[in-house]
Amino acid sequence: MTKQNKWLWFAALFTYAFLYLPLIIVVMYSFNDSRLNAEWVGFTFKWYRILFNDEQMLVAARNSLLIGVITSFFSTIFGTLAGVAMYKYKLRLLPVLVLTPIAIPEILMGVSLLMFFVMLNMTLGLFSVTLAHIAFCIGFVAIVVRSRLQGMDESLIEAARDLGATPIQAFRLITMPLIMPGIIAGALMAFTLSIDDFVITFFTAGAGASTLPLQIYSMIRIAVTPEVNAISTLLMLLTLALILIASKVAPSALRAK
Protein backbone atom coordinates (compact mmCIF):
# COMPACT_ATOMS: atom_id res chain seq x y z
CA MET A 1 0.00 0.00 0.00
CA THR A 2 1.43 3.35 -1.09
CA LYS A 3 1.66 6.39 1.15
CA GLN A 4 -1.09 8.11 -0.83
CA ASN A 5 -3.45 5.15 -0.34
CA LYS A 6 -2.72 5.16 3.40
CA TRP A 7 -3.76 8.80 3.64
CA LEU A 8 -6.93 8.06 1.66
CA TRP A 9 -7.79 5.19 4.03
CA PHE A 10 -7.10 7.40 7.02
CA ALA A 11 -9.29 10.19 5.67
CA ALA A 12 -12.10 7.74 4.88
CA LEU A 13 -11.96 6.10 8.33
CA PHE A 14 -11.88 9.49 10.06
CA THR A 15 -14.88 10.69 8.06
CA TYR A 16 -16.95 7.58 8.78
CA ALA A 17 -15.98 7.68 12.45
CA PHE A 18 -17.02 11.33 12.63
CA LEU A 19 -20.39 10.48 11.05
CA TYR A 20 -21.28 7.24 12.80
CA LEU A 21 -19.63 7.28 16.24
CA PRO A 22 -22.19 9.78 17.63
CA LEU A 23 -24.99 7.51 16.39
CA ILE A 24 -23.39 4.50 18.04
CA ILE A 25 -23.07 6.44 21.30
CA VAL A 26 -26.76 7.41 21.16
CA VAL A 27 -27.77 3.77 20.68
CA MET A 28 -25.44 2.56 23.42
CA TYR A 29 -26.62 5.09 26.02
CA SER A 30 -30.26 4.30 25.31
CA PHE A 31 -29.56 1.08 27.28
CA ASN A 32 -27.68 2.84 30.09
CA ASP A 33 -29.12 2.25 33.56
CA SER A 34 -28.65 5.88 34.56
CA ARG A 35 -30.61 9.04 33.88
CA LEU A 36 -27.38 10.92 33.28
CA ASN A 37 -25.27 10.26 30.21
CA ALA A 38 -22.06 11.05 32.04
CA GLU A 39 -20.97 7.45 32.56
CA TRP A 40 -22.03 3.88 31.84
CA VAL A 41 -23.73 2.25 34.85
CA GLY A 42 -25.33 -0.90 33.52
CA PHE A 43 -27.52 -2.44 30.82
CA THR A 44 -31.31 -1.96 30.97
CA PHE A 45 -34.44 -1.80 28.82
CA LYS A 46 -36.36 0.43 31.25
CA TRP A 47 -36.04 3.56 29.12
CA TYR A 48 -37.86 1.79 26.29
CA ARG A 49 -40.61 0.72 28.73
CA ILE A 50 -40.90 4.33 29.95
CA LEU A 51 -40.96 5.51 26.36
CA PHE A 52 -43.86 3.24 25.38
CA ASN A 53 -45.83 4.50 28.39
CA ASP A 54 -45.24 8.17 27.58
CA GLU A 55 -48.58 9.51 26.31
CA GLN A 56 -47.12 12.66 24.75
CA MET A 57 -44.48 10.68 22.88
CA LEU A 58 -47.07 8.18 21.61
CA VAL A 59 -49.28 11.00 20.34
CA ALA A 60 -46.30 12.61 18.61
CA ALA A 61 -45.37 9.26 17.03
CA ARG A 62 -48.93 8.74 15.83
CA ASN A 63 -48.98 12.23 14.28
CA SER A 64 -45.63 11.65 12.56
CA LEU A 65 -46.75 8.31 11.12
CA LEU A 66 -50.06 9.78 9.92
CA ILE A 67 -48.37 12.76 8.29
CA GLY A 68 -45.71 10.49 6.77
CA VAL A 69 -48.25 8.12 5.21
CA ILE A 70 -50.40 10.92 3.76
CA THR A 71 -47.32 12.80 2.53
CA SER A 72 -45.90 9.68 0.94
CA PHE A 73 -49.20 8.94 -0.86
CA PHE A 74 -49.79 12.35 -2.39
CA SER A 75 -46.18 13.27 -3.05
CA THR A 76 -45.73 9.94 -4.85
CA ILE A 77 -48.67 10.68 -7.14
CA PHE A 78 -47.63 14.24 -7.94
CA GLY A 79 -43.92 13.39 -7.99
CA THR A 80 -44.48 10.52 -10.44
CA LEU A 81 -46.43 12.80 -12.78
CA ALA A 82 -43.73 15.47 -12.47
CA GLY A 83 -40.97 12.93 -13.15
CA VAL A 84 -42.75 11.67 -16.27
CA ALA A 85 -43.33 15.24 -17.45
CA MET A 86 -39.65 16.16 -16.96
CA TYR A 87 -38.61 13.07 -18.91
CA LYS A 88 -41.11 13.47 -21.75
CA TYR A 89 -41.19 17.25 -22.18
CA LYS A 90 -37.79 18.92 -22.39
CA LEU A 91 -38.88 22.24 -20.93
CA ARG A 92 -36.25 24.35 -19.19
CA LEU A 93 -38.65 25.84 -16.67
CA LEU A 94 -40.26 22.57 -15.55
CA PRO A 95 -37.21 21.07 -13.76
CA VAL A 96 -36.64 24.42 -12.05
CA LEU A 97 -40.19 24.48 -10.71
CA VAL A 98 -40.07 20.86 -9.55
CA LEU A 99 -36.58 20.81 -8.06
CA THR A 100 -36.47 24.26 -6.44
CA PRO A 101 -37.95 23.01 -3.12
CA ILE A 102 -35.00 20.61 -2.91
CA ALA A 103 -32.34 23.18 -3.69
CA ILE A 104 -33.42 26.01 -1.41
CA PRO A 105 -32.51 25.87 2.31
CA GLU A 106 -35.11 24.23 4.52
CA ILE A 107 -35.36 27.27 6.77
CA LEU A 108 -36.27 29.41 3.75
CA MET A 109 -38.80 26.80 2.68
CA GLY A 110 -40.31 26.76 6.14
CA VAL A 111 -40.55 30.56 6.41
CA SER A 112 -42.07 30.91 2.92
CA LEU A 113 -44.68 28.23 3.62
CA LEU A 114 -45.49 29.85 6.96
CA MET A 115 -46.06 33.21 5.25
CA PHE A 116 -48.16 31.50 2.57
CA PHE A 117 -50.40 29.80 5.15
CA VAL A 118 -50.77 33.05 7.08
CA MET A 119 -51.78 34.88 3.87
CA LEU A 120 -54.46 32.23 3.34
CA ASN A 121 -55.60 32.72 6.95
CA MET A 122 -55.08 29.00 7.51
CA THR A 123 -54.91 27.66 11.04
CA LEU A 124 -51.54 26.01 11.60
CA GLY A 125 -51.65 22.40 12.66
CA LEU A 126 -51.21 18.88 11.33
CA PHE A 127 -52.95 19.81 8.08
CA SER A 128 -50.52 22.64 7.32
CA VAL A 129 -47.57 20.41 8.23
CA THR A 130 -48.85 17.73 5.84
CA LEU A 131 -49.22 20.24 2.99
CA ALA A 132 -45.70 21.53 3.64
CA HIS A 133 -44.23 18.03 3.62
CA ILE A 134 -46.01 17.17 0.37
CA ALA A 135 -44.61 20.30 -1.29
CA PHE A 136 -41.13 19.43 -0.01
CA CYS A 137 -41.15 15.74 -1.01
CA ILE A 138 -42.57 16.00 -4.53
CA GLY A 139 -39.18 16.96 -5.97
CA PHE A 140 -37.41 13.98 -4.41
CA VAL A 141 -39.96 11.54 -5.84
CA ALA A 142 -39.71 13.24 -9.23
CA ILE A 143 -35.92 12.77 -9.30
CA VAL A 144 -36.21 9.07 -8.47
CA VAL A 145 -38.92 8.45 -11.07
CA ARG A 146 -37.10 10.40 -13.77
CA SER A 147 -33.88 8.45 -13.19
CA ARG A 148 -35.86 5.24 -13.52
CA LEU A 149 -37.42 6.43 -16.77
CA GLN A 150 -34.01 7.21 -18.25
CA GLY A 151 -33.14 3.51 -18.08
CA MET A 152 -36.35 2.40 -19.79
CA ASP A 153 -36.46 0.98 -23.31
CA GLU A 154 -38.56 3.40 -25.38
CA SER A 155 -39.09 0.78 -28.10
CA LEU A 156 -41.53 -1.05 -25.81
CA ILE A 157 -43.82 1.97 -25.68
CA GLU A 158 -43.51 2.50 -29.42
CA ALA A 159 -44.42 -1.15 -30.00
CA ALA A 160 -47.50 -0.81 -27.80
CA ARG A 161 -48.59 2.31 -29.70
CA ASP A 162 -48.08 0.51 -33.02
CA LEU A 163 -50.38 -2.25 -31.78
CA GLY A 164 -53.15 0.25 -31.14
CA ALA A 165 -52.67 1.23 -27.49
CA THR A 166 -53.65 4.74 -26.51
CA PRO A 167 -51.12 6.91 -24.64
CA ILE A 168 -52.96 6.23 -21.38
CA GLN A 169 -53.02 2.48 -22.03
CA ALA A 170 -49.32 2.47 -22.93
CA PHE A 171 -48.51 4.30 -19.73
CA ARG A 172 -50.69 2.04 -17.57
CA LEU A 173 -49.64 -1.28 -19.12
CA ILE A 174 -46.02 -0.61 -20.12
CA THR A 175 -44.52 2.44 -18.44
CA MET A 176 -46.08 2.05 -15.00
CA PRO A 177 -44.91 -1.55 -14.38
CA LEU A 178 -41.40 -0.70 -15.59
CA ILE A 179 -41.00 2.33 -13.32
CA MET A 180 -42.84 0.79 -10.34
CA PRO A 181 -39.58 0.07 -8.43
CA GLY A 182 -38.69 3.75 -8.76
CA ILE A 183 -42.17 4.80 -7.61
CA ILE A 184 -41.92 2.54 -4.55
CA ALA A 185 -38.43 3.84 -3.78
CA GLY A 186 -39.68 7.42 -4.11
CA ALA A 187 -42.62 6.71 -1.78
CA LEU A 188 -40.32 5.23 0.85
CA MET A 189 -37.96 8.18 0.53
CA ALA A 190 -40.85 10.64 0.91
CA PHE A 191 -42.03 8.84 4.05
CA THR A 192 -38.52 8.89 5.49
CA LEU A 193 -38.04 12.60 4.77
CA SER A 194 -41.43 13.45 6.23
CA ILE A 195 -41.07 11.52 9.47
CA ASP A 196 -37.55 12.92 10.06
CA ASP A 197 -38.21 16.56 9.16
CA PHE A 198 -37.81 19.20 11.86
CA VAL A 199 -37.12 22.61 10.30
CA ILE A 200 -40.15 22.84 7.99
CA THR A 201 -42.36 21.22 10.62
CA PHE A 202 -41.18 23.72 13.24
CA PHE A 203 -42.34 26.67 11.14
CA THR A 204 -45.63 25.21 9.88
CA ALA A 205 -46.92 23.39 12.98
CA GLY A 206 -49.35 25.13 15.27
CA ALA A 207 -49.17 25.39 19.03
CA GLY A 208 -51.10 22.16 19.57
CA ALA A 209 -49.46 20.08 16.84
CA SER A 210 -46.63 17.77 17.83
CA THR A 211 -44.49 15.35 15.87
CA LEU A 212 -41.59 13.16 16.91
CA PRO A 213 -38.85 15.64 15.90
CA LEU A 214 -40.66 18.48 17.70
CA GLN A 215 -41.23 16.34 20.79
CA ILE A 216 -37.58 15.29 20.88
CA TYR A 217 -36.52 18.93 20.52
CA SER A 218 -38.74 19.97 23.44
CA MET A 219 -37.17 17.25 25.58
CA ILE A 220 -33.50 17.94 24.79
CA ARG A 221 -33.85 21.63 25.67
CA ILE A 222 -33.70 20.48 29.30
CA ALA A 223 -31.28 17.56 28.98
CA VAL A 224 -30.47 14.63 26.72
CA THR A 225 -31.99 11.81 28.75
CA PRO A 226 -31.84 8.08 27.97
CA GLU A 227 -35.49 8.32 26.93
CA VAL A 228 -34.45 10.73 24.17
CA ASN A 229 -31.71 8.31 23.19
CA ALA A 230 -34.29 5.49 23.05
CA ILE A 231 -36.70 7.31 20.74
CA SER A 232 -33.78 8.54 18.63
CA THR A 233 -32.57 4.94 18.29
CA LEU A 234 -35.99 3.70 17.17
CA LEU A 235 -36.38 6.59 14.73
CA MET A 236 -32.92 5.93 13.31
CA LEU A 237 -33.66 2.21 12.87
CA LEU A 238 -36.92 3.00 11.08
CA THR A 239 -35.18 5.45 8.76
CA LEU A 240 -32.35 3.04 7.96
CA ALA A 241 -34.81 0.21 7.33
CA LEU A 242 -36.80 2.30 4.85
CA ILE A 243 -33.64 3.45 3.06
CA LEU A 244 -32.42 -0.15 2.79
CA ILE A 245 -35.77 -1.28 1.41
CA ALA A 246 -35.73 1.56 -1.13
CA SER A 247 -32.18 0.67 -2.21
CA LYS A 248 -33.15 -2.99 -2.63
CA VAL A 249 -36.33 -2.21 -4.57
CA ALA A 250 -34.61 0.21 -6.96
CA PRO A 251 -30.80 0.17 -6.64
CA SER A 252 -30.26 2.67 -9.46
CA ALA A 253 -33.30 4.83 -8.84
CA LEU A 254 -31.77 6.62 -5.87
CA ARG A 255 -28.99 8.02 -8.05
CA ALA A 256 -30.16 11.14 -9.81
CA LYS A 257 -28.86 11.54 -13.34
Side-chain angles (χ1 to χ4, degrees):
M1 181 180 296
T2 64
K3 185 176 181 180
Q4 183 178 6
N5 289 336
K6 289 181 179 179
W7 279 109
L8 288 175
W9 274 103
F10 174 78
L13 292 174
F14 177 80
T15 302
Y16 282 114
F18 179 79
L19 291 174
Y20 292 107
L21 274 180
L23 300 179
I24 295 174
I25 293 173
V26 168
V27 175
M28 182 179 68
Y29 274 92
S30 69
F31 299 101
N32 187 21
D33 192 12
S34 173
R35 191 159 189 85
L36 301 177
N37 288 322
E39 61 179 350
W40 178 266
V41 176
F43 187 88
T44 183
F45 284 104
K46 74 176 183 180
W47 301 114
Y48 289 90
R49 291 193 296 268
I50 294 175
L51 176 64
F52 289 122
N53 290 319
D54 189 332
E55 185 65 26
Q56 289 183 336
M57 189 66 75
L58 293 178
V59 171
R62 182 195 65 191
N63 292 340
S64 288
L65 291 175
L66 179 62
I67 293 172
V69 170
I70 297 175
T71 298
S72 178
F73 178 78
F74 285 101
S75 63
T76 299
I77 295 175
F78 296 132
T80 299
L81 295 177
V84 173
M86 286 192 298
Y87 174 75
K88 187 174 182 179
Y89 305 105
K90 308 301 182 182
L91 302 176
R92 293 183 179 181
L93 185 60
L94 184 59
V96 175
L97 294 176
V98 175
L99 303 181
T100 294
I102 300 176
I104 64 176
E106 280 194 63
I107 189 170
L108 178 59
M109 182 78 172
V111 172
S112 61
L113 286 170
L114 173 61
M115 295 176 61
F116 177 71
F117 293 146
V118 171
M119 289 176 58
L120 295 179
N121 199 24
M122 180 185 295
T123 302
L124 298 181
L126 297 182
F127 181 66
S128 61
V129 172
T130 304
L131 292 179
H133 285 196
I134 292 173
F136 174 65
C137 292
I138 287 176
F140 289 95
V141 178
I143 288 178
V144 175
V145 172
R146 186 181 65 173
S147 68
R148 184 71 182 183
L149 283 166
Q150 288 178 337
M152 187 180 63
D153 188 358
E154 284 289 337
S155 62
L156 297 175
I157 300 177
E158 295 175 0
R161 294 298 306 277
D162 290 339
L163 293 173
T166 63
I168 296 179
Q169 289 175 331
F171 178 80
R172 181 171 60 87
L173 299 175
I174 304 298
T175 306
M176 182 70 74
L178 291 176
I179 66 174
M180 185 56 67
I183 294 175
I184 296 174
L188 293 173
M189 180 180 292
F191 181 82
T192 301
L193 293 170
S194 174
I195 203 171
D196 285 348
D197 181 77
F198 171 77
V199 177
I200 295 177
T201 306
F202 181 80
F203 283 98
T204 57
S210 178
T211 63
L212 274 178
L214 294 181
Q215 185 65 24
I216 293 173
Y217 173 72
S218 66
M219 295 173 68
I220 64 174
R221 284 188 299 180
I222 301 174
V224 181
T225 65
E227 188 179 356
V228 174
N229 292 334
I231 186 60
S232 300
T233 299
L234 295 177
L235 189 60
M236 179 174 58
L237 290 177
L238 175 62
T239 303
L240 291 176
L242 292 175
I243 292 175
L244 288 175
I245 293 173
S247 64
K248 293 294 183 181
V249 170
S252 62
L254 298 181
R255 297 195 297 267
K257 297 181 181 180

